[in-house]
Structure formats: C-alpha cells, structure tokens
C-alpha cells in the first residue's frame, strides 16, 4: 500500500471535519440537535424492532447452525434507498465517525430491548488486513465502539482475525455464499474469549453466513465454553424471505 494512498485517506478524513454535517440517509444539512440522521429520516426509518423480540427471525436463522443467546438487527437494508446510503456512507466515503454514532443508536436499541443485558465483550467481524488497509478502517469496529460506549461493554479487535481474502460476494447465490465462508476466521487469543458472553457485531447481515462462520470459529477455539449473541445495524429482507 503506497504511503501516498495513506496520506490521501488521512487528508480526506480531516477535510470531512470542516464540511457541513449532512444526514447519512437523505444528504440534507443537519440541524445542531440532530445526530447523524435527520429527524424526518429517523422517523421514517424501517426499524425491525427485533431487539425487543427474543425469538425473532434472525435468531431462528442461526438456530440450525449454532445456538445463539440473542440476535437483533436495527433496520431493514433495502437496496437503492437512503437506508442503503447510510451503510455506504461510512463504508466507502470515509465517514467512520458516523459509524460510531450509528453504533450508539444501535446500543440504545439493544439496551431498550432487554435481551442483551449480560454481554461481557463486543467482537466486531474483522476485515482481512488488506481490505482494512485499503479502506483505512473497519466500519464494524467503529460501530462496536459506539455500541460499547452506550452499553458500557469493552470491545476486542484483536482476538479474532480474518485469514482469507474472499472475493466480493454480491453476485453469488445464497448457497455459494454459505460455502465460501467456511473457516475464514482464525481465533488467536481464545483465553480472552473463554467463559464470556460475546456479542458479534456487523454492519449488514446479508446471508448470515459470515457471522455464523465467525461464531463457529470462536465456539471451536473456546471448546464450547462461550456464549454467543449477534447484532447488526441492518439486515437484508432476503435473509428472512429465503428461509
Ligand atoms: Zn435525512
């Protein structure tokens, strides 16, 4: 990775601090008291309310693969809409700070639901180091910092590593994507995770396969002595419709 690229990433992030704050969804300039999404978008956001339902469709989705204590996603990910733009904005446009703000909102939802009260540690789904270098940050780590701050829970960015650099999965069928994520994670410090209730965190749940693969790697490395819950900021409707 060239040093010039790194400098460009830093300059881009610094420049964004001086631009007017705009709504992550609709792009309108935000008022002083608005967080990262304007009040109108906040009101219209297609929330799932899964955090309040113990046996929601996401928990059922994982049940066949491995037991999860609780599962939730905050809003529906609808392609081509302002709700997709929220994710794109902090994934591809360097607005990592807003990922933390969205994380705080997700943390509030998880606390309000009452099903995530005994989490010990938050582990965001890692990116492969090459992708992380290219983007300059991992948006799920930034989300985790926001969630952790709201819930008063520590984050762990170093115990799990993504060891395979897989291709973009957008054009593959659901079954292929499940095959493609077998054993792509490697747990380096199982002793830090053992005996704990871990919240695995991602920005978008597209098939659930990546999350399931990461959860399996952790359970295996801890020889079953671990509890897993999962949460993501958004979830694709297909994940539920295709079941
Ligand atoms: Zn808006």
């Amino acid at each position: 990775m060239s040093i010039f690229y790194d400098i460009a990433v830093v300059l881009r992030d610094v420049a964004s601090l001086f631009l007017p704050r705009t709504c992550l969804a609709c792009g309108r300039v935000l008022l002083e008291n608005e967080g990262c999404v304007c009040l109108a978008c906040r009101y219209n956001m297609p929330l799932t309310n899964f955090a309040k339902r113990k046996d929601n469709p996401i928990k059922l989705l994982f049940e066949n693969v491995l037991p999860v204590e609780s599962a939730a996603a905050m809003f529906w990910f609808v392609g081509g809409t302002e709700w997709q733009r929220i994710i794109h904005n902090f994934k591809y446009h360097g607005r990592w700070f807003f990922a933390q703000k969205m994380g705080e909102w997700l943390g509030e939802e998880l606390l309000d639901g009452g099903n995530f009260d005994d989490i010990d540690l938050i582990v965001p789904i890692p990116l492969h180091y090459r992708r992380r270098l290219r983007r300059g940050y991992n948006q799920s780590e930034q989300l985790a910092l926001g969630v952790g701050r709201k819930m008063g829970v520590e984050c762990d960015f170093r115990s799990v590593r993504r060891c395979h650099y897989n291709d973009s999965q957008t054009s593959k069928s659901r079954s292929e994507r499940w095959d493609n994520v077998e054993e792509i994670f490697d747990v380096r410090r199982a002793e830090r995770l053992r005996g704990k209730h871990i919240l695995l965190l991602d920005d978008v749940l597209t098939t659930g396969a990546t999350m399931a693969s990461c959860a399996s790697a952790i359970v295996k490395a801890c020889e079953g002595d671990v509890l897993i819950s999962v949460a993501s900021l958004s979830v694709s409707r297909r994940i539920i419709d295709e079941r």
Side-chain angles (χ1 to χ4, degrees):
M1 191 60 55
S2 100
I3 183 75
F4 296 110
Y5 186 85
D6 292 343
I7 292 170
V9 167
V10 171
L11 286 178
R12 180 193 62 190
D13 288 353
V14 170
S16 69
L17 294 174
F18 298 100
L19 295 171
R21 295 182 320 118
T22 53
C23 170
L24 277 185
C26 71
R28 194 174 63 72
V29 174
L30 289 167
L31 303 173
E32 188 106 0
N33 59 348
E34 290 173 328
C36 49
V37 173
C38 74
L39 280 177
C41 287
R42 199 170 169 121
Y43 181 76
N44 290 319
M45 185 175 255
L47 296 172
T48 66
N49 290 316
F50 285 162
K52 297 183 179 74
R53 289 169 53 192
K54 186 76 182 161
D55 286 315
N56 60 59
I58 299 179
K59 185 164 188 298
L60 300 178
L61 176 83
F62 281 96
E63 220 145 61
N64 293 334
V65 189
L66 79 168
V68 294
E69 300 302 306
S70 295
M74 195 164 93
F75 64 87
W76 295 108
F77 182 87
V78 190
T81 65
E82 61 270 45
W83 314 115
Q84 180 182 35
R85 204 171 304 136
I86 289 181
I87 306 286
H88 273 218
N89 262 325
F90 58 66
K91 202 165 182 170
Y92 302 115
H93 300 155
R95 298 172 80 177
W96 51 267
F97 176 74
F98 290 100
Q100 286 194 24
K101 286 282 163 208
M102 289 303 292
E104 288 179 5
W105 189 359
L106 173 60
E108 266 170 43
E109 290 278 313
L110 297 181
L111 281 180
D112 284 353
N115 293 311
F116 293 83
D117 292 342
D118 56 349
I119 300 291
D120 298 311
L121 198 63
I122 300 173
V123 175
I125 298 293
L127 287 180
H128 188 270
Y129 79 93
R130 272 162 55 193
R131 183 158 293 170
R132 194 184 187 290
L133 267 179
R134 184 168 291 236
R135 194 170 290 162
Y137 58 92
N138 174 357
Q139 71 282 357
S140 294
E141 287 178 2
Q142 299 301 322
L143 264 182
L145 288 172
V147 173
R149 199 151 47 225
K150 273 288 160 193
M151 296 179 78
V153 178
E154 198 190 329
C155 301
D156 184 325
F157 298 164
R158 299 181 60 192
S159 297
V160 184
R161 194 171 61 113
R162 197 180 194 120
C163 42
H164 287 260
Y165 188 73
N166 56 342
D167 295 331
S168 172
Q169 303 191 339
T170 43
S171 60
K172 292 177 185 152
S173 78
R174 185 168 187 262
S175 59
E176 278 172 327
R177 279 176 285 180
W178 277 90
D179 294 344
N180 202 28
V181 290
E182 285 287 307
E183 315 233 321
I184 61 170
F185 296 98
D186 169 35
V187 177
R188 294 191 293 180
R189 304 190 302 179
E191 72 283 359
R192 297 247 317 149
L193 310 179
R194 200 183 297 269
K196 293 192 171 147
H197 185 176
I198 312 267
L199 175 64
L200 279 183
L201 197 68
D202 210 351
D203 55 345
V204 190
L205 213 54
T206 317
T207 65
T210 309
M211 196 81 112
S213 172
C214 192
S216 303
I218 292 173
V219 170
K220 209 160 140 188
C222 295
E223 295 163 321
D225 183 16
V226 68
L227 294 176
I228 304 280
S229 284
V230 300
S232 74
L233 191 61
S234 67
V235 57
S236 158
R237 259 186 207 281
R238 276 195 323 209
I239 205 175
I240 313 296
D241 296 345
E242 284 181 15
R243 287 187 73 241

